[in-house]
């Protein structure tokens, strides 16, 4: 099963992915982690990715689509993905063909508060604003593209409540 989890940064995706991956034996794939790995390796490409990420802008579509295509070829058909695709251009370049897409809905103010408490190096005030703004713009298009497999989940409950809502849709 190929699952995508969509939600604003701080919506709880990462926590839920870990639980679902464990419970259902799916490989967790996080675009942000793939890019952070690349950035930490340095070199021309790594340095470029690192500075884009620090600014809160998106890495270019060709680069991320290629990275995820390579990753998808390695892991096969049982994964749960986060962070890709983020633009319609990415969908056009490479669509993993998800069986299910979960959208975790959380009010924007809650998302901003959660991110501030997370303390990641790219979670400074300006970068947070920028990331939320950029992601809101593209999310609607992505969700409507996947509407046939889309399930909207209320992400404001406890971790267990949100997990239960997801599980109810995985039977
Ligand atoms: P995340 O860990 O998902 O919050 O992603 C951290 C940063 O990685 C983002 O702010 C972007 O700079 C970059 N990034 C992650 N996923 C993508 C993507 N699908 N397309 C472009 N840039 C991305």
């Amino acid at each position: 099963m190929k699952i995508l989890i969509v939600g604003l940064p701080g919506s709880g995706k990462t926590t839920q992915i870990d639980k679902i991956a464990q419970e259902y034996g799916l490989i967790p794939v996080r675009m942000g982690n793939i890019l952070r790995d690349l950035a930490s390796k340095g070199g021309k490409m790594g340095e470029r990715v690192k500075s884009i990420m620090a600014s809160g802008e998106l890495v270019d579509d060709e680069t991320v689509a290629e990275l995820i295509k390579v990753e998808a070829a390695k892991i096969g058909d049982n994964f749960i993905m986060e962070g890709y695709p983020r633009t319609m251009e990415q969908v056009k370049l490479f669509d993993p063909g998800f069986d299910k897409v979960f959208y975790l809905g959380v009010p924007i103010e809650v998302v901003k508060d959660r991110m501030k408490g997370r303390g990641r190096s790219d979670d400074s005030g300006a970068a947070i604003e920028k990331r939320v703004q950029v992601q809101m713009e593209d999310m609607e298009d992505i969700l409507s593209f996947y509407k046939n497999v889309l399930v909207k989940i209320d992400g404001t409950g406890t971790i267990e409540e949100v997990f239960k809502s997801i599980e109810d849709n995985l039977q």
Side-chain angles (χ1 to χ4, degrees), residues 4-142:
L4 171 66
I5 296 220
V6 184
L8 287 171
S11 61
K13 285 172 294 182
T14 303
T15 308
Q16 295 299 328
I17 284 174
D18 287 343
K19 286 176 77 70
I20 298 161
Q22 199 171 13
E23 187 81 14
Y24 293 86
L26 302 173
I27 298 172
V29 186
R30 302 191 174 90
M31 193 67 232
N33 284 0
I34 293 173
L35 290 169
R36 273 185 285 277
D37 276 356
L38 191 65
S40 74
K41 288 196 181 111
K44 205 171 160 205
M45 174 98 150
E47 289 302 327
R48 187 170 62 84
V49 165
K50 193 174 178 175
S51 74
I52 296 172
M53 289 176 82
S55 73
E57 299 278 354
L58 289 181
V59 176
D60 62 282
D61 293 325
E62 287 74 18
T63 300
V64 291
E66 190 56 33
L67 287 167
I68 212 75
K69 202 166 158 178
V70 169
E71 188 70 17
K74 273 195 285 191
I75 60 179
D77 282 348
N78 281 310
F79 61 79
I80 177 154
M81 192 173 281
E82 167 194 4
Y84 182 93
R86 273 199 183 148
T87 68
M88 284 309 292
E89 188 56 30
Q90 291 175 16
V91 175
K92 282 181 212 146
L93 288 166
F94 178 65
D95 177 7
F98 301 104
D99 300 300
K100 208 82 141 179
V101 174
F102 289 104
Y103 168 71
L104 289 192
V106 172
I108 187 140
E109 290 312 319
V110 175
V111 158
K112 284 185 191 166
D113 281 349
R114 285 186 188 174
M115 284 175 79
K116 282 177 192 142
R118 206 161 61 167
R120 218 169 68 185
S121 64
D122 60 345
D123 278 349
S124 67
I128 289 178
E129 291 289 338
K130 181 77 196 175
R131 287 227 303 277
V132 169
Q133 183 204 327
V134 168
Q135 292 198 28
M136 293 270 285
E137 286 165 16
D138 295 312
M139 197 137 65
E140 287 304 321
D141 293 341
I142 304 279

